[in-house]
């Protein structure tokens, strides 16, 4: 989900600083008002919560006995435009690869968030929230008509069903055996589409008809894993999702004048597109330039009511989810995405006429293509047959192979939200972490790679240059913030942007540029993606992989940036000449005054105007809060500066510079 572009404008930083001022009054307090640096605490051993085992190796790899369950879906639904409802059924084939027999199964009923009295709506503050709903009288949620077990002969048995908020438990007549046994569930369901579904789905009204952006739209299997067993936390709104992988067959019946886009591959274009539109699709599959599939004239013509329906058929493999959108108002264009090793995919944009400016959604497909080609070359290849960007009243939300972005976005804003949402293909669509418990593992990692892609796009068209860390320090190191490792449900809503997005992204950038260097970092980061593609990593698996592949003990880094909300204050605390003679060299003393530690860069400016730099490893802080080193200069020193490029979140820059007294 998109909150702001990673390099947000200074005006926003200043606004946020003012908004947080009351809780941050003591941020720049003198060291005497804080606990200060404790080297035993900073380097106090492992942060890992578990030893390696057969499921998860101590090296960060999946263990030799790693397992995860599988969920395949066959879904048939009907969209009623007038009633704004989705009605249908699904058959889930659930495979139990775990070592445990399962006496029951749990499913997620995310639409129940919008049911009056839900836990999620109950925790919306009076002041409002992205998790609220505009219409206070709206009473949504799933209506479950039946939930049945289907045996191998097709016989259906009604199951004992218990629904509690956004969760449904189905009791099985006999346990589902461990080690690869499977069952089939048939569920009939319906729901009313909320106008604004927690900024993740909704209905956008346009001059040529409504745009339906549909997600969390079918009962979904909960994950049973080796960490928690069944993951059954209720869906409250801020936290996102955790899902198993499988193959989806989806049939969507919509009004005949609608165009439907959905995750995966369209299987029956001949049934739903005109002959000229089918030819345009073929052309787009071979073209690096954008090809119009459904024009503004087509959309205006389709806006007139017609009788009947069309059924659109899609297939999506090895995915954790699917989403879709439907509208008579859609203009559609597309272009080929060039992938490594000669493969290709298709960049598609679907948007109403109101969004069609050349400065706005007229460039959407260009943005989709560039984003996915960059990430595919840099990390690992995009896996889906299409990448669809839908203009929606959802500001920015990601699903496998399809994203919903704000219909009014344009220029750098549209690039930013498009790039961010498709960056989520890698985290968490390919690397399937638990978003509900660990939002930083998808939002933070994704925000980090967004910075690299933005710098690369169109020769830096929207690149704002390096961040000014001094502007960020008070925001990401505010003592009122929770630890990064909290779930989004366990953070103040105003802090989610900092803790799930910005702080972990900045931390990874600092780790790459200031600690490991790009070569070692990128090798380890790519290894993490390769190891955990289409699997379920935990924070330990990420941390262990980064350490093992880079060859660096980073417990001190994770402890300061992720597990605690520590501050950094490096200082130049003393400068003197050996035997009071510049020709003998200079002794420089530096100090670490707060709990966080980092490697050190010191710049020494000489009377001649020359500058020299000294780099010192983080290990200098392992046994004391200060460090003195000798630098072999032969002339007078004018100034000594620690962190001269201002790349670290140092809370007190007044003590970063020593200057000779005039």
């Amino acid at each position: 989900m998109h909150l702001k572009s990673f390099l947000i404008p200074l005006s926003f930083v200043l606004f946020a600083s003012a908004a947080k001022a009351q809780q941050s009054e003591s941020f720049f307090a003198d060291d005497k008002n804080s606990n200060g640096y404790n080297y035993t605490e900073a380097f106090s051993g492992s942060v890992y919560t578990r030893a390696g085992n057969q499921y998860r190796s101590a090296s960060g790899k999946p263990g030799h006995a790693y397992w995860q369950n599988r969920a395949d879906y066959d879904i048939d639904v009907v969209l009623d435009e007038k009633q704004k409802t989705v009605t249908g059924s699904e058959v889930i084939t659930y495979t139990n690869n775990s070592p445990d027999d399962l006496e029951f199964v749990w499913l997620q009923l995310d639409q129940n968030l919008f049911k009056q009295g839900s836990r999620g709506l109950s925790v919306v503050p009076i002041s409002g929230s992205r998790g609220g709903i505009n219409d206070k009288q709206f009473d949504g949620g799933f209506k479950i008509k039946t939930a049945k077990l289907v045996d191998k002969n097709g016989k259906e048995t009604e199951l004992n069903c218990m629904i509690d908020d956004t969760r449904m438990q189905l009791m099985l007549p006999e346990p589902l055996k461990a080690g690869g046994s499977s069952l089939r569930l048939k569920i009939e369901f319906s729901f009313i589409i909320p106008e604004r579904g927690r900024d993740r789905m909704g209905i956008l009204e346009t001059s040529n008809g409504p745009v339906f952006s549909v997600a969390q739209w079918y009962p979904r299997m909960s994950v049973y894993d080796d960490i928690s067993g069944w993951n059954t936390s209720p869906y409250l709104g801020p936290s996102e999702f955790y899902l198993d992988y499988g193959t989806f067959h989806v049939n969507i019946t919509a009004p005949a004048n609608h165009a439907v886009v959905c995750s995966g591959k369209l299987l029956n274009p001949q049934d739903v597109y005109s002959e000229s539109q089918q030819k345009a699709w073929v052309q787009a599959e071979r073209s690096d330039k954008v090809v119009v599939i459904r024009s503004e004239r087509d959309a205006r013509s389709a806006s007139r009511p017609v009788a009947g329906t069309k059924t659109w058929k899609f297939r999506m493999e090895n995915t954790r989810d699917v989403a879709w959108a439907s509208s008579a108002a859609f203009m559609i264009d597309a272009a080929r995405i060039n992938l490594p090793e000669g493969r290709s995919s298709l960049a598609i944009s679907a948007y109403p006429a109101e969004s069609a400016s050349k400065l706005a959604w007229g460039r959407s497909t260009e943005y989709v293509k560039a984003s996915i080609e960059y990430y595919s070359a840099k990390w690992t290849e995009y896996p889906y047959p299409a990448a669809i960007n839908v203009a929606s009243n959802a500001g920015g939300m990601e699903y496998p192979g399809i994203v919903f972005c704000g219909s009014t976005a344009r220029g750098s804003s549209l690039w930013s939200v498009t790039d961010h949402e498709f960056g989520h293909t890698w985290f968490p669509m390919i690397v399937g972490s638990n978003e509900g418990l660990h939002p930083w593992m998808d939002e933070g990692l994704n925000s980090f790679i967004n910075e690299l892609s933005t710098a690369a796009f169109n020769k830096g068209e929207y690149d704002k240059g390096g961040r000014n860390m001094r502007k960020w320090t008070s925001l990401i190191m505010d003592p009122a913030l929770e630890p990064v490792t909290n779930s989004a449900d366990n953070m103040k809503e105003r802090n989610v942007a900092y803790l799930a997005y910005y702080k972990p992204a900045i931390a990874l950038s600092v780790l790459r540029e200031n600690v490991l260097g790009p070569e070692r970092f990128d090798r380890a980061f790519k290894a993490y993606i390769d190891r955990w593609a289409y699997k379920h990593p935990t924070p330990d698996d990420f941390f262990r992989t980064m350490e093992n592949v880079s060859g660096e003990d980073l417990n001190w880094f994770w402890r300061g940036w992720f597990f605690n909300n520590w501050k950094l204050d490096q200082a130049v605390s003393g400068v003197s000449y050996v035997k009071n003679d510049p020709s003998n060299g200079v002794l420089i003393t530096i100090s670490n005054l707060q709990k966080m530690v980092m490697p050190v860069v010191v710049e020494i400016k000489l009377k001649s105007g020359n500058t020299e730099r000294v780099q010192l490893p983080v290990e200098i802080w392992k046994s004391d809060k200060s460090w003195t080193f000798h630098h072999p200069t032969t002339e007078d020193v004018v100034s000594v500066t620690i962190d001269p490029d201002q790349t670290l979140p140092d809370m007190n820059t007044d003590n970063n510079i020593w200057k000779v007294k005039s």
Side-chain angles (χ1 to χ4, degrees):
M1 173 171 271
H2 187 261
L3 292 181
K4 290 283 185 182
S5 61
F6 177 51
L7 291 173
I8 57 178
L10 176 58
S11 59
F12 175 79
V13 175
L14 297 176
F15 171 79
S17 298
K20 292 160 70 70
Q22 187 173 4
Q23 58 178 288
S24 306
E25 289 177 352
S26 63
F27 179 77
F28 292 108
D30 188 80
D31 182 51
K32 67 183 180 182
N33 295 323
S34 67
N35 293 328
Y37 180 55
N38 183 324
Y39 56 83
T40 301
E41 183 180 21
F43 293 93
S44 61
S46 175
V47 298
Y48 300 128
T49 57
R50 295 168 177 256
N53 56 41
Q54 69 269 37
Y55 305 130
R56 297 172 189 271
S57 166
S59 70
K61 294 180 180 180
H64 65 86
Y66 176 83
W67 58 268
Q68 66 190 45
N69 291 347
R70 178 181 176 91
D72 300 295
Y73 296 82
D74 290 274
I75 311 175
D76 291 87
V77 293
V78 176
L79 169 66
D80 187 319
E81 179 176 342
K82 291 184 178 180
Q83 299 299 320
K84 301 179 180 179
T85 59
V86 172
T87 303
S89 66
E90 64 180 349
V91 174
I92 306 172
T93 302
Y94 184 68
T95 303
N96 178 22
N97 295 315
S98 82
D100 306 319
D101 294 346
L102 303 178
E103 297 83 9
F104 50 82
V105 294
W106 283 97
L107 290 89
Q108 304 175 44
L109 303 181
D110 304 293
Q111 284 296 319
N112 285 4
L113 173 68
F114 307 111
K115 187 175 181 62
Q116 289 293 322
S118 73
R119 294 192 191 188
L121 292 184
S122 298
V123 298
V124 173
I126 295 174
S127 57
S129 165
R130 294 182 78 193
I133 52 178
N134 289 358
D135 182 0
K136 301 299 184 183
Q137 303 305 312
F138 180 79
D139 191 14
F142 280 118
K143 289 181 170 56
I144 303 298
K145 183 178 179 180
T146 60
K148 299 177 179 179
L149 182 69
V150 183
D151 70 16
K152 61 183 179 181
N153 298 316
K155 181 182 177 182
E156 299 178 358
T157 302
E158 191 80 31
L159 294 176
N160 182 1
C161 171
M162 187 278 292
I163 295 176
D164 179 41
D165 199 57
T166 60
R167 299 144 321 164
M168 178 168 69
Q169 185 184 43
L170 299 179
M171 305 303 298
L172 303 177
E174 58 183 46
L176 179 62
K177 296 298 183 181
S181 297
S182 62
L183 56 72
R184 287 195 298 160
L185 301 172
K186 181 179 179 181
I187 301 171
E188 295 179 283
F189 62 93
S190 63
F191 66 94
I192 302 171
I193 302 171
E195 179 185 347
R196 286 189 175 273
R198 217 282 166 198
D199 208 19
R200 305 189 196 281
M201 61 177 297
I203 306 171
L204 172 69
E205 296 296 340
T206 79
S207 59
N208 291 322
V211 173
F212 295 90
S213 303
V214 186
Q216 294 90 56
W217 57 284
Y218 58 97
R220 309 189 289 186
M221 292 300 304
S222 298
V223 173
Y224 185 83
D225 64 20
D226 62 292
I227 302 299
S228 301
W230 285 108
N231 287 260
T232 58
S233 295
Y235 175 44
L236 300 180
S239 289
E240 293 182 312
F241 311 109
Y242 185 34
L243 301 160
D244 278 321
Y245 293 91
T247 294
F248 285 71
H249 293 93
V250 178
N251 298 330
I252 301 166
T253 300
N257 61 339
H258 276 217
V260 177
V261 290
C262 178
S263 305
K265 182 178 179 59
L266 176 64
L267 302 179
N268 63 329
Q270 71 282 356
D271 297 332
V272 293
Y273 281 111
S274 68
E275 186 175 344
S276 63
Q277 289 170 339
Q278 292 178 60
K279 289 180 180 178
W281 278 117
V282 173
Q283 181 185 354
E285 290 171 351
R286 301 170 181 170
S287 175
D288 287 324
K289 294 184 178 181
V290 176
V291 176
V292 174
I293 309 296
R294 197 172 192 259
S295 67
E296 184 174 356
R297 177 181 294 181
D298 293 334
R300 283 200 307 268
S301 175
S303 67
R304 294 188 291 271
V306 297
T309 61
K310 291 181 180 178
T311 298
W312 303 64
K313 300 179 180 181
F314 299 89
R315 175 183 170 88
M316 183 77 151
E317 297 179 356
N318 203 18
T319 181
R320 45 178 256 161
D321 195 11
V322 295
W324 53 279
S326 182
S327 181
F330 275 150
M331 298 169 59
I332 299 176
D333 59 45
R336 178 179 62 193
I337 298 171
N338 299 300
L339 300 175
E341 301 181 10
R343 289 184 63 253
S344 65
S345 183
L346 197 60
I348 303 170
S349 296
Y351 50 91
E354 290 89 335
S355 303
S357 164
K358 290 182 180 179
L359 299 177
W361 279 77
R363 293 189 70 183
S364 168
T365 294
E366 174 195 355
Y367 296 161
V368 174
K369 173 179 166 67
S371 178
I372 288 176
E373 288 181 349
Y374 175 83
Y375 294 131
S376 294
K378 181 71 175 175
W379 305 119
T380 197
E381 192 171 280
Y382 184 77
Y384 308 128
I388 307 163
N389 198 8
V390 177
S392 172
N393 64 340
M397 186 60 202
E398 71 279 2
Y399 301 99
I402 188 170
V403 303
F404 303 154
C405 295
S407 63
T408 60
R410 55 192 292 123
S412 62
S413 176
L414 182 57
W415 158 260
S416 174
V417 66
T418 300
D419 182 54
H420 180 83
E421 302 313 337
F422 277 112
H424 275 301
T425 300
W426 285 264
F427 310 102
M429 307 311 170
I430 292 176
V431 180
S433 60
N434 186 338
E435 298 177 275
L437 290 180
H438 313 296
W440 69 267
M441 291 186 73
D442 70 294
E443 298 295 357
L445 271 62
N446 183 30
S447 295
F448 163 71
I449 65 173
N450 297 160
E451 184 181 1
L452 302 177
S453 62
T454 297
F457 173 66
N458 200 22
K459 300 180 181 179
E461 178 180 357
Y462 297 129
D463 185 25
K464 296 180 176 66
R467 82 180 62 82
N468 186 332
M469 188 63 79
R470 297 299 183 253
K471 299 290 191 299
W472 280 96
T473 299
S474 63
L475 298 176
I476 64 171
M477 299 296 180
D478 191 314
L481 292 176
E482 304 89 347
V484 167
T485 48
N486 280 26
S487 75
D489 292 330
N490 195 209
M491 299 174 185
K492 290 183 173 63
E493 186 168 356
R494 65 176 179 267
N495 294 342
V496 171
Y498 301 103
L499 295 171
Y501 295 69
Y502 304 138
K503 186 173 181 177
I506 291 172
L508 293 178
S509 182
V510 169
L511 182 61
R512 184 177 191 260
E513 303 300 330
N514 297 72
V515 181
L516 296 179
E519 182 179 359
R520 275 205 297 168
F521 179 95
D522 289 359
R523 185 187 305 116
F525 197 72
K526 187 177 186 306
Y528 169 68
I529 296 172
D530 292 342
R531 288 176 172 187
W532 289 97
Y534 311 105
K535 297 182 177 68
H536 297 317
T538 66
D540 276 9
D541 300 317
F542 174 71
F543 296 146
R544 290 178 187 273
T545 293
M546 294 301 293
E547 290 194 350
N548 275 259
V549 178
S550 71
E552 199 73 36
D553 179 353
L554 297 170
N555 278 276
W556 59 271
F557 188 88
W558 314 131
R559 183 174 290 110
W561 280 92
F562 290 84
F563 290 93
N564 295 284
N565 187 25
W566 287 353
K567 292 181 286 188
L568 177 71
D569 184 12
Q570 296 180 340
V572 180
S573 49
V575 178
S576 62
Y577 298 117
V578 177
K579 297 182 179 179
N580 207 31
D581 183 351
S583 65
N584 293 325
V586 63
L587 296 175
I588 300 172
T589 299
I590 56 177
S591 299
N592 197 76
L593 303 178
Q594 285 288 338
K595 288 178 175 292
M596 180 180 281
V597 292
M598 288 296 297
V600 172
V601 175
V602 176
E603 182 176 87
I604 303 161
K605 186 175 182 179
L606 306 176
K607 188 175 183 180
S608 63
N610 293 330
T611 59
E612 299 172 354
R613 289 196 172 188
V614 176
Q615 295 184 336
L616 297 170
V618 73
E619 283 82 3
I620 64 172
W621 306 122
K622 272 197 166 184
S623 59
D624 209 337
K625 67 183 296 183
S626 63
W627 182 259
T628 300
F629 65 94
H630 173 261
H631 185 67
T633 182
T634 58
E635 58 177 298
D636 288 346
V637 174
V638 175
S639 66
V640 177
T641 304
I642 198 167
D643 187 25
D645 298 324
Q646 300 186 2
T647 59
L648 299 179
D650 196 303
M651 60 169 282
N652 180 13
T653 58
D654 291 342
N655 59 21
N656 284 23
I657 302 176
W658 173 92
K659 291 183 178 180
V660 67
K661 295 180 180 179
S662 56

